[in-house]
Amino acid sequence: MKYTSITVAVLMAVQLSCQEKVQEETKTEAQSKVAQSKEEPTKPEETEVYEPVPPTVTVDTKGVPSDAIVLFDGSNFDEWTSSVDSTAVQWHLNDDGSMTVKDKVGDIQTKRNFGSIQLHLEWKSPAEILRDGQNRANSGVFIQQRYEVQVLDNNDNPTYTNGQVGSVYKQSIPLAMASVPTGEWNTYDIIFHAPEFDGEKLSEPAYVTVLHNGVLIQDHFEIEGTIKFIGWPKYEAHGKAPLKLQDHGDNSRVSYRNIWVREL
Ligand code: MG
């Protein structure tokens, strides 16, 4: 075969480029080997890092973190709207800094949309016992309008356990029944990681952790999809969405107070 001078030059260039690539790969491999063969630290300073510095968060006398968005402090419904028709909230605003579900006017939801959050709220069943099972003081915290952490008066009131107080409704039985006596205030502290979607396809499910009166009742549970009363849960692609509180429509008279959220 007869090579022209141009062909030879091109072949040499290709060869050089290949050699460079091999050398580069060898260099990277060598570097990673050096990193791997790093000797075990002998001084405490060798494993100390100083950056990034976490922001300072203080907590006020009501337990509200300084970087929280206060959604309800008892003074007004400014952060809320009717889920039915986006009009003003008609639930009862009480003198003691709480709100109570107004029967059959529908759910309420935040005006803001949220993704992953740390949520705190307090809720109370009415002291008067009215009905049984799922119809006794049923409400619920719907994260992103879809994923319900059940609110129910389950004291001496059994129901299906995947729908009891503290359940992720019809998906996850709580690890414990941690309710205070009927008529007293409960706390929910919820850490929620929003699902992620690649177009219409789920790429990362949602996860929820719940503390009920300080007791861990949901431990990083992988949510199976939008809550269904009838049928299996399914994911539908969505972005940030409001937080919703449920009017179950059977005179539940559930009250809420001290609601704040930290975006994660
Ligand atoms: Mg409910």
Side-chain angles (χ1 to χ4, degrees), residues 65-213:
S66 52
D67 62 351
I69 298 166
V70 175
L71 295 175
F72 183 72
D73 67 0
S75 55
N76 58 63
F77 286 121
D78 288 0
E79 290 283 340
W80 301 83
T81 186
S82 162
S83 300
V84 180
D85 54 10
S86 304
T87 57
V89 169
Q90 292 180 57
W91 288 18
H92 305 284
L93 190 60
N94 308 316
D95 293 337
D96 66 354
S98 68
M99 62 162 110
T100 301
V101 177
K102 184 173 180 183
D103 194 37
K104 293 187 179 62
V105 301
D107 303 342
I108 65 167
Q109 66 188 47
T110 56
K111 291 175 183 171
R112 299 180 201 238
N113 295 319
F114 295 104
S116 298
I117 50 166
Q118 175 188 351
L119 169 70
H120 172 91
L121 60 84
E122 295 164 29
W123 62 269
K124 180 176 81 163
S125 312
E128 188 189 353
I129 305 292
L130 297 170
R131 286 168 302 277
D132 294 325
Q134 290 284 317
N135 299 318
R136 183 183 296 176
N138 188 330
S139 185
V141 182
F142 281 74
I143 304 163
Q144 295 197 313
Q145 296 173 300
R146 293 166 174 83
Y147 313 115
E148 183 188 16
V149 177
Q150 177 71 297
V151 168
L152 193 72
D153 178 6
N154 261 137
N155 295 324
D156 300 316
N157 180 35
T159 184
Y160 45 96
T161 54
N162 66 347
Q164 76 162 71
V165 64
S167 64
V168 175
Y169 187 72
K170 289 208 172 162
Q171 292 188 27
S172 178
I173 299 166
L175 299 169
M177 160 61 176
S179 292
V180 293
T182 302
E184 294 182 18
W185 285 100
N186 289 268
T187 63
Y188 270 175
D189 287 283
I190 299 174
I191 295 147
F192 172 79
H193 288 278
E196 288 167 27
F197 299 90
D198 186 4
E200 291 302 303
K201 204 169 159 253
L202 179 75
S203 54
E204 182 69 21
Y207 291 91
V208 70
T209 296
V210 182
L211 292 136
H212 183 186
N213 296 319

Side-chain angles (χ1 to χ4, degrees), residues 47-64:
T47 49
E48 291 169 2
V49 291
Y50 290 84
E51 279 179 340
V53 179
T56 300
V57 177
T58 56
V59 178
D60 72 12
T61 50
K62 288 179 185 162
V64 183

Side-chain angles (χ1 to χ4, degrees), residues 209-230:
T209 296
V210 182
L211 292 136
H212 183 186
N213 296 319
V215 177
L216 182 69
I217 59 161
Q218 298 289 347
D219 184 9
H220 199 61
F221 173 70
E222 183 182 321
I223 292 176
E224 294 159 3
T226 300
I227 297 296
K228 290 261 192 211
F229 180 47
I230 301 169

